[in-house]
Every structure is written in structure tokens, then in C-alpha cells.
Amino acid sequence: MSEQSHLFPTYARFPITLVKGKGSRLWDNTGKQYLDFMSGLAVTNLGHAPDAVKDALVSQLDELWHVGNLFHIPNQEKLAKLLTDNSCADRVFLCNSGAEANEAAIKLARRYHSKVLGTGKYEIITFDMSFHGRTLATLTATGQDKVKDGFYPLPEGFVYAPFNDADALKGFITDKTCAIMLEMVQGEGGVNPASEPFVQEVVRLCKEHDLLLIVDEIQTGMGRTGKLFAYEHYGIEPDIFTLAKGIASGFPMGAMLGKEKLAAAFTPGAHATTFGGTPIATATAVATIELMLEQKLAQRAEQVGNKLIAELNARLAGNPLLKQVRGKGLLIGVELTVPAAEVIPALHEAGLLVIPAGPNVVRLLPNLLVTEEELEEGISLMNQVLTEKAKAAAGTNA
Ligand SMILES: *Cc1c(COP(=O)(O)O)cnc(C)c1O
């Protein structure tokens, strides 16, 4: 771009301007076509501009856009019923982003302990390499120093335990601990699934010490990992979980869900947001979830994801740049022996849009309706680019 940008330079952007999208395809402003294996960061889980969601959005646009939360909004009840009928939660708070959903979860955990249990406990245990958002409380909850740089002083009451270390965890519980908050697969942290024994220990300690279990499903939720919500893989029931990214096919929306006992802590006036659950946002989310359930897309993500991981392992076997392919469902990380930044531009050039997750991981997030042909095309492009890169690296070493 030749002209000076008037935006704050908060994003290191790829040199691509995408102007159109349909299904798994995106086109840039030169007309070049791409296969989309990032889904706007696990957002467009049904592909770009899915017809059923578009129809619901357009018909709501004709009816009513916004009234505010001082009035009843039927779409909100419909969405909350869909979410609670299909999860372990009983209550829903609607908001506009992931950070805002986690902010609500943190506030609810503290308020439950202060107003309902009367313990005054406020400390929340989170984990190294976690990611929970960019507001002051959620960046403090995040177990990565890079998001905190320059923003001190931060809110009190967060401690960080090592992820997937069941033995270490109980040492972090104090007489102030009110909750444990974690991702079932750390997405931003490099696509690292929580281990079964670790999750069972988290649940056991929560029971033993009367702690709330908060699961951040903002990236893993909405069918992405092969279940509607990733906690289902572990047979557990969090007290609170949060959603955003994939909930409304690209319309901004977040949700914080919880068990019935928590309703006593979020009484009128306790928490609010102007735009949370507008008629338009909720119509879009309802259509997204209905399609997901109708077409059993979580199950599809599990089958297709297992196949993608197996195929990538088979085809990339022996490539010296490959360290490991891992993930759950269609949240997949390809860990390399070189920085992801060294191969991602070549993948984009070849027509495959992917993003990194941590320094050495290429993250693959195809939409849940991705076809067999598109998967094959993506695997071939990965193989082609990684083979070329490995050859070039061998050439420079020789
Ligand atoms: C993206 C993400 C967030 C933050 O969501 P925003 O909508 O960007 O505020 C929080 N937690 C996880 C696990 C995420 O992936």
C-alpha cells in the first residue's frame, strides 16, 4: 500500500488484500484464488457466506437491528435454549467478543465467591502459554508475558501453573483461590491439547477445594475439535465456559455460559453490555448453530480432522522440516523444525492460506464443511511447499 495508513499499526499484516469469499475459497484484489485453511482464525466454521446464515441475517435486517437489553429479545432466548440444550450449561450471558466473554467469566467467578458463597476468594489459576484475550483482566489471565509488555500495573488475583502438569497443580491452590481457568487445546499457545490425567486432576481439585472450573472454548468451541464443545472429549462438566469465534459465522459475538447455581451471582445490575445479543447477532448465531447440529458438523470435524492428521503424517514423513502433526478435530498444528514465518509466505504464494500458532507451528483451521477434494488440495500444497523448502535448506547447508 503506497499511501500512509491511518490505522494504529497493531497488526503485522500479510501482504494480501482479500476482497471476496465463498465456502473454502477466498480471492484477493488481483483476482488470485486461495484455499482457506484458517477460517478467519476459527471463526468462519461453516465457510464464507453460508447461504442459510446469510438468509437468516438478511431477513432479520429487514425486521429489527437493535433495541438494547432493557427489553425482551426473543432471538436471545432461542439462542440460549439451543446452547443450553446442547451443553452442560443452564444459563447464558451474551456479549460481543472472546475477551468480553472471559471478562464476564472472571467477574462471575469472583462475584459467586463473594456474594453467594461469601468466601471472598478471588484468585484464579491459569496456565503457562494460555491465551484468554487482550482486555486488562484477560491479558493478565493469559500465561504469556508478551501480551503484558508495557501495560503494568495489572489487576491482582491471577497465578500461572505449568500446563499439563498434574503433579504441580495442587501447589498453586491457596486460601484465596476461587477458580481454575483453562483451554482444552491451547490454540494461540501452539495447538497443545490438555492431557486426560491433567484434566481429571483439575476437576478433582476443583471438587476438593470448592473451586469453579472455567473452560475457555473460544477457539475450541462450535464443533471445531470434533465435539460441539471440547470439554466433551474429557467427559467433564465445567461450571462456566466461554464462546466467541465460531459462534456466528463471522458476525461479532461472544457468550459466557454457566451452571444454574451461578445465576444467584449475576443479578440485575451485576453485569451488562450495550450490544450483547442484538437481534441481528443472535439471528446469525441461531442459524449457525442450527446448521451445525442439523448436519452433525462436529462429528464431521472429528472424522475429517483425523483423516487430515493421518494424511499429513503419511505424506510429510521423512521431511526434515517436520517435527510433529497434532491437534483435535479440525484444530491442527504442524510443528516444524524451522520458524513458521519461514514457510507461511510460500504457502500463501502457492495459494494456501494458513496462520502460525506460536513460533514454530503452522495452524490449520479448515471450515467444517471442507470437501475431500479441498483437503487433498491443501495436503498437496503443504507437501509441495515443505518439500521445496527442505530442498532449499539442504542446498544451503551443502
Ligand atoms: C481468540 C481467543 C480469545 C480472545 O477472543 P477475542 O474475540 O479476540 O477477544 C480468548 N481465548 C481464546 C482461547 C482465543 O482463542
Side-chain angles (χ1 to χ4, degrees), residues 260-280:
E260 186 60 35
K261 67 179 181 189
L262 300 165
F266 258 13
T267 45
H271 190 54
T273 178
T274 298
F275 290 117
T278 65
I280 323 175

Side-chain angles (χ1 to χ4, degrees), residues 41 96-100 102 131-134 183 185 187-188 216-220 242 244-245 253 363:
L41 228 164
N96 309 286
S97 71
E100 208 188 333
N102 282 341
F131 183 79
H132 298 298
R134 298 288 197 150
E183 297 155 89
V185 181
E188 300 309 298
D216 179 341
E217 293 265 6
I218 289 164
Q219 190 159 156
T220 53
T242 51
K245 295 196 165 90
M253 164 163 264
R363 187 167 18 172

Side-chain angles (χ1 to χ4, degrees), residues 106 126-127 130 132 136-143 148 158 160 181:
I106 292 163
T126 71
F127 295 92
S130 59
H132 298 298
L136 277 173
T138 60
L139 76 80
T140 307
T142 295
K148 303 177 188 183
F158 294 91
Y160 315 95
M181 177 170 182

Side-chain angles (χ1 to χ4, degrees), residues 76-89:
Q76 288 191 1
E77 295 294 344
K78 202 167 165 189
L79 175 59
K81 180 157 170 35
L82 269 173
L83 287 171
T84 53
D85 280 353
N86 290 285
S87 75
C88 66

